[in-house]
Amino acid sequence: MQTRLRSAALLLAFALVGAGLLGCDQGGTSPPMTADEARRQIIESASGLQGAAATFEQTPLARLSEAMMTSGSEGRTVSPWGKALTSGLGAVLDTTGGDFNYDASMGVYVWTSDTQAWRQERPADSLILRFPESTGAPSNNATFTLSRYETQSVTIGGSTEQIPTEIGASLAVENEGEIFSVDLRDVGFTLLGIPQSFSLDVTANPLSFTTSLEPGQNGTFQYEDRFRNDGQPVTATTATVDLFPDDAEGDGSTLGRVEGTTQVGQDLAIEYAADVGALSALEDASADEINNRVSVDVLLQGNQVATLRYDGSAEQIIVEYTDGTTEPLSDLLREIGVPGGAS
């Protein structure tokens, strides 16, 4: 059954992430649009994603992130300075038993450039780290605060893990104020360790992302997310997820049907539905079996202009426009500005 659950989770990710990277409106019909015109309008309608990416590059958080990373022959990796900061935390934070102990780790810790190590400055009722925002900063002008941290023991695949259920954290830079915050709360799990509720707010001014999962009736769950740039909508998703009992006793559950809509900007939308439970029950599902149980439609101003489907021979998701033209989804996502695309 665990194999089926993993398959179901992968299919759910395909529906919510693969489709969600693009984006709903309801509407009527119009003459078929050529692939070139549909592609052009999709890219234009998704320009808010590129705008959000450009906005992030100008934030103080991006500047700090850049200092933490370095480029090399193997791509982007943690810089020596960033590695010193993160690895040095192991000497001062409590990880007895292999898990982070928040209560035992609370206090104010400062980075000492001379010794390249952290030292505790004083006790506190939260975890506070003070460090330079870059290798050239003259002082510890950045402050990370973990004000809330709770976990719950959850059994996943036969092993027990400590999963965060409450997180309140922020990052501030001197003379710039708070540049990043995370608020995770209301996390709940099924007996099988599947999340059944959560609320998450992430802010990197002026960007903000909110998402939630709430239980409904008869094993139905409602998922929503909103991504904004300086208060203006970039993407928005609403989806319904069904969780069905595996047996008459109700001792286990599996994902059933997933359906929803993701909107990008004013004109571009994705409508999708997936019979995850039926597909996860199949062994080594073929491309036809996947496509018969998963539908993903691309709409512009309410009119369908393309469909996403799985190409078994190429082992990738492709975009099929209404005039019959096809292309890999990864190619279209690169044009939209999604790093690395998707396959």
Side-chain angles (χ1 to χ4, degrees):
M1 184 175 69
Q2 294 299 325
T3 300
R4 293 182 179 180
L5 284 173
R6 285 194 295 269
S7 299
L10 289 173
L11 286 166
L12 178 59
F14 166 78
L16 293 183
V17 179
L21 285 171
L22 293 175
C24 159
D25 232 340
Q26 309 287 333
T29 60
S30 64
M33 186 180 294
T34 66
D36 288 342
E37 179 61 17
R39 195 174 194 274
R40 181 186 66 79
Q41 289 195 32
I42 288 172
I43 294 170
E44 290 179 354
S45 298
S47 60
L49 291 171
Q50 295 179 338
T55 297
F56 176 77
E57 293 300 324
Q58 303 302 314
T59 63
L61 178 63
R63 185 176 66 239
L64 190 148
S65 300
E66 185 68 22
M68 294 286 288
M69 305 297 291
T70 186
S71 298
S73 58
E74 297 182 356
R76 301 276 290 172
T77 58
V78 179
S79 68
W81 175 75
K83 189 174 296 184
L85 284 177
T86 54
S87 63
L89 288 172
V92 294
L93 301 184
D94 190 301
T95 56
T96 304
D99 295 316
F100 171 58
N101 188 326
Y102 174 67
D103 291 337
S105 298
M106 290 190 298
V108 178
Y109 301 86
V110 296
W111 177 254
T112 305
S113 299
D114 293 342
T115 60
Q116 293 287 287
W118 294 91
R119 64 174 177 83
Q120 184 171 7
E121 186 176 65
R122 60 179 174 83
D125 58 2
S126 57
L127 174 61
I128 301 173
L129 306 175
R130 292 177 176 159
F131 57 97
E133 65 166 328
S134 66
T135 55
S139 64
N140 290 332
N141 63 336
T143 302
F144 172 79
T145 303
L146 184 60
S147 57
R148 298 188 347 265
Y149 187 83
E150 297 182 8
T151 64
Q152 177 180 330
S153 296
V154 178
T155 301
I156 304 174
S159 63
T160 301
E161 306 287 345
Q162 292 296 321
I163 306 299
T165 56
E166 294 276 345
I167 295 177
S170 65
L171 178 64
V173 174
E174 191 176 313
N175 298 324
E176 297 187 76
E178 185 177 277
I179 64 171
F180 178 72
S181 67
V182 175
D183 181 12
L184 174 67
R185 60 199 182 279
D186 304 327
V187 178
F189 301 89
T190 68
L191 294 177
L192 294 177
I194 300 175
Q196 63 179 359
S197 66
F198 65 83
S199 295
L200 174 65
D201 298 333
V202 180
T203 301
N205 289 324
L207 302 173
S208 65
F209 177 77
T210 64
T211 181
S212 65
L213 180 70
E214 297 182 356
Q217 296 181 342
N218 302 320
T220 297
F221 298 83
Q222 190 71 26
Y223 171 85
E224 294 185 356
D225 67 46
R226 298 289 184 271
F227 179 39
R228 296 177 175 87
N229 183 359
D230 199 19
Q232 298 301 309
V234 178
T235 65
T237 295
T238 300
T240 299
V241 182
D242 292 332
L243 198 64
F244 297 137
D246 275 341
D247 48 47
E249 289 74 25
D251 294 332
S253 304
T254 189
L255 291 172
R257 183 174 176 83
V258 177
E259 56 182 304
T261 297
T262 296
Q263 175 109 21
V264 173
Q266 297 297 317
D267 298 331
L268 178 61
I270 290 290
E271 294 181 347
Y272 46 89
D275 290 320
V276 179
L279 191 52
S280 64
L282 300 174
E283 297 292 339
D284 298 322
S286 66
D288 285 343
E289 289 173 325
I290 293 174
N291 292 322
N292 286 339
R293 292 167 174 82
V294 179
S295 66
V296 185
D297 298 326
V298 183
L299 296 87
L300 284 168
Q301 297 182 340
N303 299 311
Q304 183 177 341
V305 297
T307 298
L308 305 188
R309 62 179 176 84
Y310 180 68
D311 184 342
S313 59
E315 296 185 346
Q316 64 181 351
I317 302 171
I318 66 170
V319 183
E320 182 172 348
Y321 297 96
T322 51
D323 67 357
T325 304
T326 64
E327 70 168 322
L329 175 61
S330 56
D331 290 353
L332 178 59
L333 292 180
R334 275 192 293 271
E335 290 293 329
I336 289 174
V338 178
S343 59

